[in-house]
Amino acid sequence: MTELLDGAKVAKIINDKTAQRVAGLDKPVTLAVIYDPDNEGSQLYVGMKSRKAAKLGIQTRDIPVGADETTESVIALVESLNADDDVTGILVQSPLAKGIKERQVFSAVAPSKDADGLGAKVQGMLFGDALEPYTVAATPQGVMSLLNYYHIPTKGKVALVIGRSQLFGRPMSALLNNADATVTVAHRFTEPDILKRLLKFADIVAVGVGIPNFIKGKDLKQGATVIDVGMNVVDGKATGDVDFDSAQGIADFITPVPGGVGPMTIATLLENTITLAEQNK
Ligand SMILES: NC(=O)C1=CN([C@@H]2O[C@H](COP(=O)(O)OP(=O)(O)OC[C@H]3O[C@@H](n4cnc5c(N)ncnc54)[C@H](OP(=O)(O)O)[C@@H]3O)[C@@H](O)[C@H]2O)C=CC1
Ligand SMILES: Nc1nc(=O)c2c([nH]1)NC[C@@H]1CN(c3ccc(C(=O)N[C@@H](CCC(=O)O)C(=O)O)cc3)C=[N+]21
C-alpha cells in the first residue's frame, strides 16, 4: 500500500499557526517579492504566494524586475529593502531574467530578512548545522516538515537527492545530512545506470530536476519514501518528476503533484517570514 504525504493538509496546519502568530504581533508583517514579470511560472507562483500571504494577514510588495535591469541594479534594490524597516522579509523568485546573476542577488539579502533562505550566509549556516537561528530554504524545509509530520525516520536511512540547485538539492542534502541520513546527491552528470543503482539503495528519494515522469516506479526500492519536487506542466496539468502511477505498490509513501511539496513550500516561506518578524521586532 502506498500512502500519500498530504502536503495540502500539513500546509494548512502550518498556515493556521502562522495566521495566529501574525495576529499576535502588534506590527504589520510585509514580504517583498522580486520577480521577472515576463516569466509565466513566476507570475503564477508569485500570485499564489501573495494570495496565501494575504489570507494569513501578511502583506506582500511584489516588485517586477525585468530584462532591462542588471545584477548591480537588482542588488541595489535588495540593499534598499534590507534597510527598509517596513520590510520584514525578502524573496527573490527564481529564475530572474537572463543575464542577472541570481545567486549574487540571493546573497545580497540580509540574513535577518532572508525569508526564502537562499543567501550564502544562511546556506552556510545550514551546511555547518549552526546552533544559532537561521532561515532554511522553503522547499527543502517544507519537505522536512512533511517527513516529520508523518513520522518518517531519517536517522541511519539512505537518502538520494536528485538535483543540486540552491533552491532545492543543495539545502535538501544538508538538511538530510543534519538529520543523520546517509546522503547522495545526483545531478545532470550522474550516469543513468549509476542513478538506477543508487535508486535501488535509497530509503528516501527526493527529486527536483524539472523533467516530467523522470523516475519510474520499477527503479525504486520497495518501501521507499518518494518526495516529488518537480513542477512541470504537461497538457495543461501540473505533473511531477515521478511517474506517480508506476510508483503505486512500490513506494510506501509518496507526495502527489499537485498537493504535495508545492503547498508546503509556500507555507514554509510564510512561516519563515513570521519567524523573522518575531525575531526582529
Ligand atoms: N514544488 C515546489 O515547491 C518547487 C518546485 N520546483 C521544481 O523543481 C524542479 C527543479 O527546480 P530547480 O531546482 O529550481 O531547477 P534547476 O534547473 O535550478 O535545477 C535542476 C537540477 O536538476 C539536475 N538535472 C537536470 N537534468 C538531470 C538529469 N538528467 N539527471 C539528474 N539530474 C538532472 C540539474 O543538474 P546540474 O546541476 O548538473 O545542472 C540541476 O541540479 C522544477 O520542476 C521546479 O519547477 C522548484 C522549487 C520549488
Ligand atoms: N526563490 C524561489 N523560491 C521558490 O520557492 C521558488 C522559486 N524561487 N521559483 C520557482 C519555484 C516553484 N515553486 C512553487 C511553489 C509552490 C507551488 C505550488 O503550490 N503548486 C501547486 C499546484 C499549482 C498548479 O496546479 O499549477 C501544488 O503543488 O499543489 C509550485 C511551485 C516555488 N519556487
Side-chain angles (χ1 to χ4, degrees):
M1 250 287 283
T2 302
E3 195 182 327
L4 281 188
L5 301 176
D6 188 344
K9 180 177 93 174
V10 182
K12 186 176 184 317
I13 297 170
I14 295 170
N15 286 334
D16 287 348
K17 253 188 234 149
T18 299
Q20 281 176 15
R21 291 167 69 188
V22 173
L25 209 67
D26 57 4
K27 64 166 193 194
V29 180
T30 301
L31 177 67
V33 182
I34 294 172
Y35 73 103
D36 176 4
D38 298 320
N39 182 293
E40 262 178 50
S42 293
Q43 287 171 16
L44 176 72
Y45 302 133
V46 168
M48 286 169 59
K49 286 171 184 178
S50 295
R51 280 192 297 279
K52 184 57 80 180
K55 281 203 181 118
L56 308 187
I58 295 176
Q59 305 173 4
T60 49
R61 199 193 284 180
D62 294 346
I63 308 171
V65 161
D68 49 336
E69 304 255 5
T70 62
T71 305
E72 291 70 32
S73 70
V74 190
I75 288 175
L77 166 66
V78 169
E79 283 169 352
S80 72
L81 296 169
N82 285 341
D84 185 339
D85 287 339
D86 293 337
V87 172
T88 314
I90 302 165
L91 163 76
V92 180
Q93 181 75 13
S94 172
L96 289 177
K98 224 174 134 233
I100 301 175
K101 295 201 177 70
E102 180 169 277
R103 278 183 291 173
Q104 273 182 273
V105 177
F106 292 159
S107 290
V109 176
S112 61
K113 295 200 176 185
D114 199 343
D116 213 29
L118 299 181
K121 175 84 193 283
V122 294
Q123 292 230 340
M125 292 176 84
L126 171 64
F127 188 82
D129 199 13
L131 298 174
E132 303 84 359
Y134 56 90
T135 47
V136 178
T139 299
Q141 178 59 49
V143 169
M144 295 309 285
S145 299
L146 204 51
L147 293 175
N148 285 336
Y149 180 86
Y150 284 94
H151 304 292
I152 293 169
T154 51
K155 192 178 199 155
K157 298 297 174 190
V158 174
L160 175 62
V161 177
I162 312 176
R164 56 171 167 180
S165 65
Q166 218 74 18
L167 219 64
F168 163 65
R170 287 176 197 270
M172 185 80 258
S173 66
L175 279 165
L176 288 164
N177 183 30
N178 292 347
D180 299 326
T182 301
V183 187
T184 306
V185 180
H187 47 72
R188 197 178 301 276
F189 301 104
T190 306
E191 295 290 340
D193 58 320
I194 300 281
L195 183 63
K196 278 195 177 174
R197 284 156 67 182
L198 293 169
L199 278 164
K200 281 291 171 197
F201 268 105
D203 302 303
I204 299 169
V205 178
V207 54
V209 296
I211 305 172
N213 302 318
F214 181 62
I215 300 295
K216 313 279 185 231
K218 67 173 172 46
D219 292 327
L220 296 166
K221 179 178 173 180
Q222 185 72 40
T225 295
V226 180
I227 306 292
D228 190 352
V229 177
M231 189 54 58
N232 314 290
V233 179
V234 177
D235 301 332
K237 267 184 24 193
T239 305
D241 288 348
V242 179
D243 181 354
F244 184 85
D245 291 342
S246 71
Q248 298 305 309
I250 299 169
D252 271 2
F253 297 96
I254 188 166
T255 59
V257 177
V261 176
M264 291 299 292
T265 295
I266 296 178
T268 307
L269 166 73
L270 301 173
E271 185 182 41
N272 282 348
T273 306
I274 183 60
T275 299
L276 291 175
E278 288 166 353
Q279 282 169 359
N280 301 319
K281 66 180 172 212

